[in-house]
């Protein structure tokens, strides 16, 4: 199981107008479970499931408080590494559900609210275990591109669902037999009814 807290910066821009919605969305609570299983012939399987609570956000354009729904995600990866390889290569799928603002609709006089988005990504990444300062560390870096996308409702301005990519840099350190510290940096770059860039940094522990 793992726990993390994180800070996210959301910048959402209407495609055809000079209008932005900017907010800091902090998550005081992200909980998840992860599994790892060695397979035959130097392959392995890993998966994770997480849910994340986000604090209420404020649009800097309107100053209106907005309640943000919980986010959740699922990952499934197949990894491969031989003793001769300097790092492991893995690939698989990421599934995420998150929210954005109805930024483009503000030009129509609509009140600010959220729309929920569900994306399935194809992911390719590398992982490496190493020793540093007498501690065991794990580094992972991955790039994902969207395969399918849906939304809770289409925008009144543009019905297009989000498409794009994300990348994650992840690091953990083994503290003792049962505890690890971990941290990550994640960025989404998506485009649909609006252009959305999300930067998030987080820290936590694994137990």
């Amino acid at each position: 199981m793992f726990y993390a807290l994180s800070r996210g910066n959301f910048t959402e821009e209407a495609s055809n107008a000079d209008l932005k919605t900017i907010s800091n969305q902090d998550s005081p609570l992200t909980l998840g479970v992860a599994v790892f299983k060695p397979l035959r012939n130097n392959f392995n399987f890993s998966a994770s499931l997480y849910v994340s609570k986000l604090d209420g956000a404020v649009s800097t354009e309107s100053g209106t408080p907005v309640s943000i729904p919980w986010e959740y995600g699922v990952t499934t990866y197949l990894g491969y590494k031989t003793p001769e390889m300097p790092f492991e290569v893995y690939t698989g799928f990421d599934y995420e559900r998150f929210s954005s603002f109805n930024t483009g609709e503000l030009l129509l006089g609509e009140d600010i609210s959220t729309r929920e988005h569900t994306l399935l990504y194809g992911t390719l990444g590398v992982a490496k275990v190493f020793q540093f300062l007498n501690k065991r560390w794990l580094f992972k870096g991955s790039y994902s591109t969207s395969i399918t996308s849906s939304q809770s409702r289409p925008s009144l301005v543009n019905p297009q669902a989000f498409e794009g990519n994300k990348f994650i840099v992840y690091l953990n350190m083994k503290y003792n037999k049962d505890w690890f510290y971990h941290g990550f940096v994640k960025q989404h770059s998506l485009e649909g009814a609006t252009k959305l860039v999300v930067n998030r940094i987080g820290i936590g522990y694994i137990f």
Side-chain angles (χ1 to χ4, degrees):
M1 297 186 67
F2 60 87
Y3 162 81
L5 58 87
S6 63
R7 161 154 285 197
N9 176 263
F10 284 51
T11 302
E12 189 172 13
E13 181 178 359
S15 300
N16 299 317
D18 186 20
L19 178 64
K20 290 184 179 180
T21 302
I22 303 172
S23 69
N24 291 320
Q25 296 183 12
D26 297 336
S27 173
L29 178 65
T30 296
L31 290 176
V33 293
V35 296
F36 178 88
K37 182 176 177 58
L39 303 174
R40 297 179 180 179
N41 301 319
N42 300 311
F43 286 96
N44 63 72
F45 171 78
S46 61
S48 67
L49 166 67
Y50 72 87
V51 294
S52 183
K53 181 183 184 302
L54 296 176
D55 286 344
V58 176
S59 161
T60 57
E61 292 286 334
S62 66
T64 304
V66 182
S67 177
I68 306 298
W70 285 61
E71 295 185 358
Y72 64 83
V74 180
T75 68
T76 57
Y77 300 139
L78 184 67
Y80 180 78
K81 185 182 185 308
T82 66
E84 296 79 19
M85 293 173 60
F87 50 78
E88 175 189 327
V89 177
Y90 63 91
T91 187
F93 302 98
D94 286 32
Y95 179 85
E96 290 184 331
R97 184 173 176 86
F98 64 94
S99 301
S100 74
F101 295 113
N102 63 332
T103 302
E105 298 176 337
L106 300 181
L107 295 171
L108 304 178
E110 295 290 318
D111 292 333
I112 191 166
S113 61
T114 62
R115 293 188 299 124
E116 285 66 61
H117 308 272
T118 302
L119 277 81
L120 176 68
Y121 302 87
T123 298
L124 179 65
V126 295
K128 183 175 180 60
V129 175
F130 61 96
Q131 293 289 129
F132 181 65
L133 298 177
N134 295 319
K135 296 291 185 180
R136 176 190 176 277
W137 298 75
L138 169 64
F139 167 85
K140 299 177 75 173
S142 66
Y143 175 85
S144 305
T145 186
S146 61
I147 300 174
T148 64
S149 178
S150 63
Q151 50 194 341
S152 57
R153 66 172 181 83
S155 168
L156 299 175
V157 176
N158 181 346
Q160 181 182 353
F162 275 135
E163 296 178 345
N165 56 70
K166 68 172 181 174
F167 74 83
I168 301 175
V169 175
Y170 173 85
L171 188 68
N172 79 34
M173 182 195 76
K174 185 175 183 179
Y175 179 69
N176 59 33
K177 180 180 178 181
D178 300 315
W179 290 82
F180 297 75
Y181 293 112
H182 68 146
F184 63 88
V185 176
K186 178 166 60 173
Q187 183 185 76
H188 291 74
S189 181
L190 304 171
E191 187 167 351
T194 57
K195 297 179 181 179
L196 176 65
V197 176
V198 183
N199 296 293
R200 183 169 292 279
I201 182 169
I203 57 173
Y205 54 87
I206 307 168
F207 53 94

